[in-house]
Amino acid sequence: MSQSTLQLLSQLEQCLKQTNNWQNTAPSTEQLASSQPFCIDTLTLPQWLQFIFIPKMRELIELGAPLPQKVEISPYAEEAIKQLAFDAKPLLAVIKTIDESFK
């Protein structure tokens, strides 16, 4: 599962880059320290994916730590994409595939 998860994370990263949603500058420490789910009060969906989700999942895999039993990002993503100014359908498709891979 770790290898397939790494491939999905790479697809997610590629999708963010293709839609020009990959940032070269990280958000502030305060923004990253949000206690809200998905850092909804401080980060956009692409920022949360890039700076929280992808690195955390890769870290778990590198450490050989157990991966979450369940991942459910798509309900949030479906709402968040309504605020995004790009065609987020490919991004949402990858997110749904990630969710399904953890069921």
Side-chain angles (χ1 to χ4, degrees):
M1 174 149 193
S2 295
Q3 191 61 35
S4 63
T5 302
L6 282 173
Q7 289 173 342
L8 288 170
L9 294 173
S10 292
Q11 287 178 14
L12 186 58
E13 180 178 332
Q14 188 62 32
C15 192
L16 289 168
K17 288 178 179 177
Q18 288 172 343
T19 58
N20 294 319
N21 283 284
W22 192 261
Q23 294 181 209
N24 293 323
T25 306
S28 70
T29 304
E30 293 80 22
Q31 288 174 299
L32 294 171
S34 169
S35 62
Q36 296 294 314
F38 305 103
C39 298
I40 195 168
D41 59 335
T42 59
L43 300 178
T44 64
L45 171 64
Q47 288 173 322
W48 180 80
L49 292 168
Q50 179 182 352
F51 296 104
I52 304 287
F53 181 72
I54 294 172
K56 183 63 177 172
M57 293 298 288
R58 285 183 174 156
E59 178 184 25
L60 291 172
I61 291 168
E62 279 181 24
L63 295 173
L67 295 176
Q69 294 293 314
K70 192 174 191 179
V71 173
E72 290 189 46
I73 303 168
S74 51
Y76 163 61
E78 288 171 354
E79 284 302 311
I81 64 169
K82 295 175 184 175
Q83 310 300 321
L84 302 176
F86 67 95
D87 179 11
K89 289 177 189 148
L91 178 63
L92 189 55
V94 175
I95 290 171
K96 284 182 178 185
T97 302
I98 290 170
D99 284 0
E100 290 168 7
S101 74
F102 283 89
K103 289 186 178 179

